[in-house]
Amino acid sequence: GAEAVPDAVVVLQSDLSIVWCNQLALKVLGLQWPTDHGQRLDNLIREPKFAKYMLRGEFEEPLELDNGHIVDQVLEFRVMPYANTQLMVVVRDVTRLKQLEQMRKDFVANVSHELRTPLTVVTGYLEMMDGDMMPPPAMWNKAQNTMLEQCKRMDSLVNQLLSLSRIEGARRQDNDKAINVPQMLNYIKTEAQSINQDKGHELIFDIDNELDIKGSEDELRSAFSNLVFNAIHYTKAGGKIVVTWQRKEGLAHFSVNDNGDGIAPEHINRLTERFYRVDKARSRTTGGSGLGLAITKHVLTRHDSKLNISSELGKGSCFSFDFSKDKLVNLAT
Ligand code: ADP
């Protein structure tokens, strides 16, 4: 029976010497059989916290320990009386649970922090206007603009959070409608041109007008537009941005190339983490929340694709992805 459970199980005498263990205990705790038969478990698990816990003999609460044998693994030990005088130790790998718990905490902390910053600005201005004391008109104008900007930031953050949660909750079946991607990219191009007016980039869209795919329209729009708008935000005035949607080696290939800021290698693997930004202050001025690439990655996973990022600091970046043959619509293969 003990071999069938997904936990490591060790039976001990009251002096903590090992009577028996299952196969998983050999693997997880690094025990050796039959060599370790009769050895005290607190001599083999060389962690003072474990020895103390066993000695105290109060087992209502489980004990959590880092596994000395497997890097980054967290184990939960539960001990219960067994037969007349023996003890049974059940050891479970709780690494994933701990990671999820940490992710949840980080997520709440990040969201609160992101919302607090604009709220502090708005509250600050509102407090200045307390009672009959109205600021002079020039200052009031500035205050009004800043408050509006911060409210828009909060609105965009909440929308991105909702979009992330919608994507996470969406069913895979909703993912196979034929999408007119060239048309979608033309809309994105118009939007890009309008937000690009100040910077006057050279914007080139190289689109195959026959290339449609199956997917979820809202999700794909957000994946395509996040990459295009990022290129605009992180490329200096006068730079060049090339967006490509073409067939390539039988796949549908999308890429956004820019000759903008570029990204140092140590950041590249972390860009798709929620709220990760290379330069927080910089990205805030562009209205960025650090969720765009996390959303893009999620959308692509749901469409059996993945985001490729190559970049060189000071030279520019390329964000690209491919859709497999079975996602293509109306095309002679
Ligand atoms: P944000 O809302 O901050 O733009 P994203 O998740 O879209 O968040 O991007 C994460 C970070 O990746 C950005 O803050 C920026 O530092 C970096 N980044 C994204 N796209 C580019 C790009 N084309 N060039 C340079 N850096 C980029």
Side-chain angles (χ1 to χ4, degrees), residues 238-295:
K240 183 175 174 182
I241 296 165
V242 182
V243 179
T244 308
W245 175 243
Q246 290 290 347
R247 294 191 75 184
K248 195 176 167 189
E249 293 159 14
L251 310 171
H253 177 76
F254 179 77
S255 68
V256 182
N257 274 282
D258 65 56
N259 62 355
D261 303 353
I263 304 152
E266 67 269 24
H267 296 293
I268 291 189
N269 283 338
R270 303 200 55 196
L271 292 182
T272 54
E273 286 175 22
R274 290 168 190 198
F275 299 107
Y276 191 83
R277 283 164 296 192
V278 174
D279 177 347
K280 288 210 174 198
R282 173 84 205 286
S283 144
R284 269 200 197 110
T285 59
T286 67
S289 61
L291 285 174
L293 292 180
I295 292 175

Side-chain angles (χ1 to χ4, degrees), residues 89-127:
V89 185
V90 178
V91 188
R92 177 165 293 184
D93 177 3
V94 290
T95 318
R96 184 86 190 114
L97 214 66
K98 298 295 286 180
Q99 277 169 349
L100 289 173
E101 202 178 301
Q102 191 56 43
M103 272 167 67
R104 187 187 58 76
K105 281 186 192 159
D106 289 349
F107 186 70
V108 173
N110 278 322
V111 173
S112 326
H113 178 78
E114 292 301 324
L115 287 174
R116 188 185 292 138
T117 316
L119 272 175
T120 311
V121 176
V122 174
T123 316
Y125 278 119
L126 288 176
E127 277 170 1

